[in-house]
């Protein structure tokens, strides 16, 4: 039995948890930078709740609202410089995965003002990041409960992650009410992202007893939510919102322990080059993951399907029915170009996939799904 356990994030959950626990902001200091995108933090009500809590505690704040989808290194660097100039004691990230990941990177840049954009990937010795408080507004990424931040290099357009211990949030407020403002397409895509985190982690050799417990709890919650979304084809009610949100947090903890499999790096290609939202992009490759699991991890696949009362074919059919990426077509030369990023080094996502995964496997899968003469 493997009972190795590390859950360094303090989570306060429930409706109105920010308002009812405003005093928890006080120990973090007297000045903070709020990092958000342009819309969801305000539309969800989370930004107003956080500002009220800060003012209640006499904490000064400034806001950086330039964190876009698939956060750019340049935006994170800019936010970090703003936090440094303001002498912020901590950072509050509010939003979906992009804003939360961007806040993590900004916390690193804030205490390392001499960093160039790419130093965040390469510098071994640096100052510790500013403390982080995170408030999620989508039910998908699980970024609220982990240290990983996926960032986009504006020069190359490619996504790459950091996973530093000091990027774990010190405090997370988890209020599913903040997800009510998500429109249907975003709700579907983020739910597929959460499912990808849990399912890809489930098949990882790193999925020991503890992350398995979280996956076993989260996968049925997310799956039932997805079935409702597919059936009703409309934004869900309160109970489904709650199920999807808390399911995404369970999946996020599985992700923190296990990482992801090949659908994630392959999904990056669709996001970077074809504008496919992240969760939807990962889900494109989930049926292939299930097929490989049948070949190389049949017992774990049987356990997974038993959890949700599905067959392999019904699982794949539901996921495929929710995936909408348009008519993506790739030539042979485009496929080889996309896969050249894995020419020299296979990412951990490949290594931790059922049966392993290679650049040649990636090329074959892209050909099967998107090849056009």
């Amino acid at each position: 039995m493997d009972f190795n356990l590390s859950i360094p994030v303090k989570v306060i959950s429930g409706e109105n948890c920010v308002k009812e626990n405003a005093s928890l902001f006080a120990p973090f200091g007297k000045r903070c930078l709020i990092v958000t995108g342009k819309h969801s933090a305000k539309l969800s009500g989370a930004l107003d709740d956080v500002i009220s809590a800060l003012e209640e505690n006499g904490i000064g704040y400034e806001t950086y609202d330039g964190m876009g989808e698939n956060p750019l290194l340049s935006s994170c660097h800019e936010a970090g410089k703003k936090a440094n100039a303001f002498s912020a004691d901590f950072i509050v990230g509010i939003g979906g995965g992009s804003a939360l990941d961007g806040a993590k990177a900004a916390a690193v840049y804030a205490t390392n003002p001499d960093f160039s954009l790419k130093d965040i990937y390469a510098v071994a010795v640096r100052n510790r990041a500013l403390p982080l408080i995170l408030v999620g507004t989508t039910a998908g990424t699980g970024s609220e409960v982990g240290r990983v931040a996926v960032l986009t290099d504006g020069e190359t357009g490619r996504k790459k992650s950091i996973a530093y211990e000091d990027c774990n949030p010190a405090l997370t407020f988890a209020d599913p009410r903040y997800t009510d403002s998500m429109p249907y397409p975003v709700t579907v895509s983020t739910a597929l992202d959460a499912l990808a985190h849990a399912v890809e982690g489930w098949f990882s050799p790193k999925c020991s007893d503890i992350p398995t417990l979280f996956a076993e709890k989260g996968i049925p919650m997310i799956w039932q939510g997805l079935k409702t979304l597919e059936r009703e084809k409309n934004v869900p009610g309160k109970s489904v919102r709650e199920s999807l949100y808390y399911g995404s947090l369970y999946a996020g903890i599985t992700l923190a322990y296990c990482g992801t499999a090949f659908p994630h790096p392959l999904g990056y290609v669709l996001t970077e080059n074809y504008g496919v939202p992240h969760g939807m992009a990962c889900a494109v490759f989930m049926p292939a993951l299930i097929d490989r699991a049948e070949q190389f991890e049949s017992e774990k696949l049987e356990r997974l399907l038993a959890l949700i009362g599905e067959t392999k074919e019904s699982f794949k059919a539901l996921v495929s029915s929710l995936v909408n990426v348009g008519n993506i077509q790739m030539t042979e030369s485009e496929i080889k170009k996309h896969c050249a990023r894995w020419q020299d080094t296979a990412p951990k996502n490949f290594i931790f996939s059922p049966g392993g995964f290679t650049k040649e496997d990636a090329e074959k899968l892209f050909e099967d799904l998107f090849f056009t003469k």
Side-chain angles (χ1 to χ4, degrees):
M1 180 173 290
D2 181 349
F3 202 84
N4 294 335
L5 178 64
S6 175
I7 307 177
V9 181
K10 180 176 182 178
V11 178
I12 305 298
S13 67
E15 192 167 332
N16 296 317
C17 59
V18 173
K19 290 182 178 180
E20 294 175 0
N21 297 275
S23 62
L24 295 179
F25 286 85
F28 287 87
K30 286 297 182 182
R31 300 166 75 85
C32 87
L33 180 74
I34 301 173
V35 175
T36 76
K38 293 292 185 185
H39 304 295
S40 69
K42 183 68 176 178
L43 287 174
S44 66
L47 180 59
D48 289 342
D49 288 350
V50 167
I51 288 175
S52 294
L54 295 173
E55 291 177 344
E56 182 179 325
N57 287 280
I59 299 171
Y61 65 89
E62 288 190 355
T63 300
Y64 178 86
D65 65 357
M67 208 58 68
E69 191 174 351
N70 306 307
L72 295 171
L73 289 175
S74 56
S75 299
C76 301
H77 190 263
E78 185 178 19
K81 288 177 71 68
K82 185 169 184 175
N84 181 273
F86 185 58
S87 298
D89 299 308
F90 63 103
I91 285 179
V92 178
I94 308 173
S98 294
L100 302 189
D101 286 3
K104 293 174 184 179
V108 175
Y109 286 125
T111 56
N112 296 276
D114 296 331
F115 267 22
S116 68
L117 295 186
K118 296 184 183 181
D119 282 345
I120 198 168
Y121 294 128
V123 174
V125 179
R126 59 173 175 81
N127 296 320
R128 185 172 180 80
L130 285 181
L132 282 158
I133 297 176
L134 299 184
V135 184
T137 64
T138 64
T141 70
S143 188
E144 304 97 317
V145 292
R147 62 184 181 171
V148 175
V150 182
L151 312 172
T152 300
D153 184 335
E155 292 183 3
T156 65
R158 289 188 177 180
K159 301 172 75 168
K160 185 178 178 181
S161 64
I162 59 172
Y164 300 124
E165 287 293 335
D166 55 343
C167 286
N168 275 307
L171 177 62
T172 283
F173 289 101
D175 186 342
R177 177 175 59 93
Y178 294 145
T179 70
D180 289 349
S181 59
M182 286 193 301
Y184 178 77
V186 177
T187 302
V188 172
S189 184
T190 54
L192 288 170
D193 191 18
L195 183 69
H197 293 156
V199 171
E200 291 176 42
W202 176 268
F203 291 114
S204 169
K206 298 168 68 177
C207 195
S208 57
D209 292 346
I210 298 300
T212 294
L213 288 173
F214 284 101
E216 287 176 341
K217 181 70 173 180
I219 288 172
M221 297 170 72
I222 299 165
W223 187 255
Q224 290 306 312
L226 286 168
K227 290 184 74 171
T228 300
L229 291 172
E230 196 277 336
R231 181 177 64 252
E232 298 183 358
K233 295 178 174 53
N234 203 348
V235 293
K238 180 179 179 179
S239 63
V240 175
R241 288 284 192 198
E242 289 184 353
S243 183
L244 286 172
Y245 183 63
Y246 288 123
S248 78
L249 297 187
Y250 284 116
I253 294 173
T254 301
L255 168 68
Y257 274 91
C258 303
T260 55
F262 70 82
H264 261 69
L266 268 61
Y268 290 170
V269 171
L270 300 189
T271 299
E272 294 164 1
N273 297 280
Y274 303 95
V276 179
H278 170 71
M280 196 74 69
C282 295
V284 168
F285 304 102
M286 197 176 299
L289 175 69
I290 296 302
D291 287 339
R292 290 186 71 88
E294 182 179 42
Q295 182 178 359
F296 297 105
E297 295 285 352
S298 59
E299 290 186 8
K300 294 204 74 173
L301 177 60
E302 289 178 9
R303 287 177 57 197
L304 170 69
L305 296 173
L307 273 177
I308 55 177
E310 301 288 348
T311 66
K312 184 190 80 164
E313 295 307 323
S314 66
F315 181 101
K316 291 167 56 178
L318 180 68
V319 171
S320 297
S321 71
L322 288 165
V323 169
N324 179 14
V325 298
N327 185 27
I328 295 176
Q329 296 183 331
M330 302 179 187
T331 64
E332 182 177 354
S333 62
E334 287 172 333
I335 291 171
K336 290 188 178 300
K337 181 180 178 181
H338 293 326
C339 295
R341 64 202 296 168
W342 305 304
Q343 182 68 48
D344 299 320
T345 305
K348 291 180 180 179
N349 317 65
F350 282 14
I351 297 168
F352 295 144
S353 297
F357 199 77
T358 66
K359 170 179 168 290
E360 289 69 32
D361 291 326
E363 289 180 351
K364 177 64 166 56
L365 187 50
F366 278 128
E367 288 174 0
D368 290 343
L369 294 175
F370 305 119
F371 176 69
T372 181
K373 294 182 179 179

